[in-house]
Amino acid sequence: MNKQNSPHALTQAPSLAGLHEGYMPGWANDFETEALPGALPQGMNSPQKVNYGLYGEQLSGTAFTDVRPERTWCYRIRPSVKHSHRYEKIDLPYWKSAPNIDPDVTSLGQYRWDPLPHSDTPLTWLTGMRTMTTAGDVNTQVGMATHIYLVTESMVDSYFFSADSELLVVPQEGRLRFATELGIIDLEPKEIAILPRGLLYRVEVLDGPCRGFVCENYGQKFELPGRGPIGANCMANPRDFKAPVAAFEDREVPSTVTVKWCGQFHETQIRQSPLDVVAWHGNYAPYKYDLRTYCPVGAILFDHPDPSIFTVLTAPSGQPGTANIDFVLFRERWMVAEDTFRPPWYHKNIMSELMGNIYGQYDAKPQGFVPGGISLHNMMLPHGPDREAFEKASNANLGPDKLDNTMSFMFETRFPQHLTGFAGKEAPLQDDYIDCWTSLEKKFDGTPGKK
């Protein structure tokens, strides 16, 4: 068995033939993996006795009667009831859930923030989470929240899971390890991870300090968007998503499990590591995805397509065509459209758009939107290029032009995003962002035929 290089190593099965190193490829596959030979029952889910004295247990991510139920069968050293005891409520003051409307903060507006700075205070995945916006209602499993994480220290004998949500993690700086019940995911900038609701894990720092973005999805799970006329290829391809192979710990050590449940945090004390799944099979699992494998699609003659063409993942709402969340990626790509204003055009949108910059320069905002920064354009509020971007695009020589060294993203939701007190009062808000459109000039000339 191979050992992972971490303070509390999981025993991980060797890479299997045909599999990406330490991972299994494919989106929404029915995977099967075992860290010990013969640990995984064959031909049935719940034998009378499981090999190695393991317990069989199912983790369900959807209702049993869903059209395609999402569930994973785990074969573990102890059942999860042994990893849960009496709970005590704790406070994580910077991690907020919807509804969270601060009467002293105005969410109506166009906002932009500089990167949250690192501090000398040691911060873990739990203590370093900073909520920027919330939308919907965590209690009715509708909506989302957006966070920035600042992490400098590994969780030691400490574990976490969210009963409220799945988390989409977008690193911007540093490298993290997610040691989960179902295996190990190592994550770095230009990659993302999806951590399902109810999955238990520990977060370790591989290379810090770490900073990044989190979209907390209260609603239906993320899925690949329908491609429609695009067809079977391009955008995010299923084979580029990677699920971890089975890994487990068998350690008797006092440990803490923290649970997020209906927007509140609770702690329980146990006597062992809960990462004890020796084998598993199913379609409810964590993933990682390399954003550099996203294949953009765009106009090849004229006009500018809607930004929805850049959707990596979508979480549906109850209304067809209107997402609870879209995760949209703006990466390097060629611009070739003729007689076309190529940056994003000016618009108002029913969706609320929170953008983050992973690296480089965003073409519609060449100044001020720096890596690690975020912006928010709430529902039905106008936004678009600043004057510099408008003038450059309006007068450019429209030959083929490659947007290079750029990667930004958008968490977009059908709901208004409300700023938290932290976002409105403590985070490094650019007070002058709204002024980026002040210098736009009136260019109207009523002369017939005048351009």
Side-chain angles (χ1 to χ4, degrees), residues 23 176-180 183-187 192-195 206 242-244 286-288:
Y23 300 96
L176 292 173
R177 167 167 292 165
F178 294 88
T180 83
I184 295 170
I185 289 179
D186 289 345
L187 200 65
I192 61 171
I194 300 99
L195 304 170
L206 297 179
K242 312 294 183 184
Y287 291 92
K288 69 181 292 185

Side-chain angles (χ1 to χ4, degrees), residues 41-201:
Q42 297 298 312
M44 63 186 306
N45 296 320
S46 188
Q48 185 178 23
K49 290 187 177 181
V50 182
N51 289 343
Y52 298 102
L54 299 173
Y55 289 85
E57 177 178 296
Q58 184 175 258
L59 173 62
S60 294
T62 61
F64 296 146
T65 52
D66 202 342
V67 174
R68 186 175 185 266
E70 297 195 21
R71 80 290 173 263
T72 288
W73 274 93
C74 303
Y75 302 93
R76 56 195 317 155
I77 296 171
R78 296 175 180 84
S80 289
V81 290
K82 291 291 289 184
H83 304 321
S84 177
H85 201 51
R86 291 181 177 86
Y87 287 92
E88 180 179 344
K89 187 177 177 182
I90 64 169
D91 187 28
L92 294 174
Y94 286 105
W95 192 332
K96 303 295 185 181
S97 295
N100 182 76
I101 301 175
D102 189 323
D104 298 324
V105 173
T106 300
S107 298
L108 178 68
Q110 299 98 328
Y111 296 105
R112 190 165 67 189
W113 292 264
D114 286 324
L116 265 60
H118 294 289
S119 72
D120 295 330
T121 304
L123 297 171
T124 67
W125 179 253
L126 297 181
T127 59
M129 201 68 71
R130 302 289 183 264
T131 306
M132 299 297 290
T133 69
T134 65
D137 189 338
V138 71
N139 297 287
T140 56
Q141 299 185 354
V142 172
M144 60 173 287
T146 61
H147 317 281
I148 304 292
Y149 67 80
L150 301 171
V151 179
T152 61
E153 289 195 345
S154 298
M155 297 168 67
V156 178
D157 300 324
S158 174
Y159 307 86
F160 172 73
F161 75 87
S162 173
D164 289 342
S165 52
E166 69 175 338
L167 300 184
L168 170 61
V169 183
V170 185
Q172 188 267 323
E173 186 178 62
R175 296 171 56 240
L176 292 173
R177 167 167 292 165
F178 294 88
T180 83
E181 293 178 282
L182 302 185
I184 295 170
I185 289 179
D186 289 345
L187 200 65
E188 64 185 25
K190 306 179 189 179
E191 297 178 327
I192 61 171
I194 300 99
L195 304 170
R197 185 193 305 260
L199 181 78
L200 191 146
Y201 56 90

Side-chain angles (χ1 to χ4, degrees), residues 342-363:
R342 291 177 176 177
W345 13 252
Y346 298 100
H347 66 292
K348 292 192 290 186
N349 190 356
I350 189 65
M351 306 291 277
S352 298
E353 304 173 2
L354 184 138
M355 287 195 64
N357 189 349
I358 300 172
Y359 66 84
Q361 180 176 291
Y362 179 57
D363 60 325

